[in-house]
């Protein structure tokens, strides 16, 4: 197996060292941080294959780090395993749809952690990290040419509609919140100023333009949207 680089963000130094030691023993490369402040920046620079992210961190907490990672194109596809103290917290994290791929509840065994790491890496490596195109039913999207086609016929989309479609398609099967979609299609700064309702309006026009395939964009009540690719 190709050796993977793993970023460990954990402020409890004993736990961080234990994780670091065991990952290295399995021939993973590691980068270790004990504070959340520079986690997103370090991830953008180091491009790890996986991030182990503690929830309660000094500087910036795990949820905020997660949000930043997912809002940045350079880091949005890096899988994240959250390390949490209680299982209720873990459920909440996955429920929030922040894009964490899995979680491990403390205290955890080395064996359990390694199994999760391997499972997530296997899953994410099965699909190309930089998708150039996407297909679902009679819908085809070419991300490089910025073109969408339904039954072979080009669909005229505005740049925001295309970005929304791209964000939804690349996370097919997962729920994205309106905030996620705002930051992905409009950028983080704009996302702070725009109303989430903006997303609804654009999703509405996007659905119409995709004709028969518009039904693939499912509204998840009180939360956001999910793209159905099956
Ligand atoms: Ca902590």
């Amino acid at each position: 197996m190709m050796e993977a680089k793993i970023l460990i963000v954990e402020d409890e130094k004993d736990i961080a060292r234990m994780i670091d030691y065991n990952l290295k023993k399995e021939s993973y490369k590691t980068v270790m941080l004990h504070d959340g402040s520079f986690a997103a920046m370090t991830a953008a620079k180091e491009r790890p294959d996986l991030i182990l992210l503690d929830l309660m961190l000094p500087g910036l907490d795990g949820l905020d780090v997660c949000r930043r990672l997912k809002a940045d194109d350079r880091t949005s596809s890096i899988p994240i395993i959250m390390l949490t103290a209680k299982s209720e917290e873990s459920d909440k994290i996955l429920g929030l749809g922040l894009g964490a791929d899995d979680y491990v509840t403390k205290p955890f065994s080395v064996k359990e952690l390694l199994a999760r790491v391997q499972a997530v890496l296997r899953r994410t490596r099965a699909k190309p990290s930089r998708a150039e195109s996407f297909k679902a039913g009679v819908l085809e999207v070419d991300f490089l040419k910025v073109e969408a086609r339904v039954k072979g016929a080009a669909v005229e989309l505005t740049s925001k509609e295309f970005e929304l479609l791209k964000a939804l398609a690349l996370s097919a099967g997962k729920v994205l919140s309106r905030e996620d979609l705002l930051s992905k299609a409009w950028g983080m700064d704009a996302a702070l100023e725009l109303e989430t309702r903006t997303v609804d309006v654009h999703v509405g026009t996007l659905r119409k333009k995709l004709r028969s395939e518009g039904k693939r964009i499912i509204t998840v009540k009180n939360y956001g949207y999910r793209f159905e690719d099956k």
Side-chain angles (χ1 to χ4, degrees):
M1 187 179 162
M2 199 180 84
E3 59 182 12
K5 192 199 275 182
I6 300 178
L7 172 62
I8 307 160
V9 190
E10 166 64 77
D11 62 312
E12 283 165 79
K13 297 211 169 102
D14 290 347
I15 297 181
R17 271 198 291 267
M18 183 271 282
I19 296 173
D20 184 59
Y21 171 80
N22 284 287
L23 288 176
K24 280 186 178 141
K25 218 169 96 188
E26 296 293 315
S27 12
Y28 292 108
K29 284 188 211 154
T30 58
V31 178
M32 213 179 354
L33 289 176
H34 302 300
D35 182 294
S37 313
F38 301 108
M41 214 173 79
T42 306
K45 195 173 132 246
E46 297 279 344
R47 306 287 176 101
D49 298 283
L50 172 72
I51 300 171
L52 294 175
L53 181 60
D54 183 27
L55 182 61
M56 303 298 282
L57 283 168
L60 202 61
D61 76 28
L63 292 184
D64 285 328
V65 172
C66 197
R67 270 190 208 101
R68 290 198 183 183
L69 290 167
K70 291 299 164 188
D72 186 332
D73 277 347
R74 293 170 300 173
T75 52
S76 61
S77 61
I78 302 173
I80 300 169
I81 298 179
M82 300 285 302
L83 308 176
T84 70
K86 285 191 268 243
S87 60
E88 305 92 81
E89 283 174 357
S90 317
D91 292 345
K92 216 160 130 196
I93 289 158
L94 293 185
L96 282 171
L98 286 171
D101 293 76
D102 204 350
Y103 60 81
V104 179
T105 310
K106 294 176 194 172
F108 49 80
S109 70
V110 169
K111 205 174 146 197
E112 183 189 358
L113 181 73
L114 290 175
R116 299 290 184 94
V117 165
Q118 279 158 10
V120 169
L121 285 175
R122 221 176 12 243
R123 228 165 37 222
T124 49
R125 280 181 167 178
K127 56 186 175 191
S129 57
R130 290 202 177 271
E132 293 178 356
S133 62
F134 177 85
K135 214 167 172 252
V138 293
L139 168 69
E140 288 170 87
V141 190
D142 188 320
F143 300 129
L144 296 181
K145 291 185 189 160
V146 194
E147 272 177 7
R149 294 177 179 276
V150 173
K151 283 187 191 158
V155 181
E156 292 287 334
L157 297 178
T158 65
S159 63
K160 295 304 171 203
E161 287 162 356
F162 189 84
E163 290 303 317
L164 276 177
L165 177 60
K166 184 176 173 180
L168 286 162
L170 288 177
S171 297
K174 276 191 194 170
V175 187
L176 292 176
S177 70
R178 292 176 172 80
E179 289 79 8
D180 289 337
L181 288 167
L182 264 182
S183 62
K184 282 180 198 289
W186 277 265
M188 203 51 181
D189 296 337
L192 296 173
E193 286 160 32
L194 289 167
E195 297 279 339
T196 47
R197 165 115 188 86
T198 311
V199 172
D200 301 334
V201 173
H202 284 78
V203 166
T205 57
L206 174 60
R207 263 193 192 128
K208 274 197 202 111
K209 289 181 178 180
L210 294 178
R211 303 194 290 274
S212 64
E213 301 301 280
K215 65 175 186 303
R216 291 183 178 278
I217 304 174
I218 314 285
T219 303
V220 180
K221 207 167 168 246
N222 298 328
Y223 193 71
Y225 297 96
R226 187 182 77 235
F227 189 92
E228 204 52 76
D229 62 340
K230 303 249 161 45

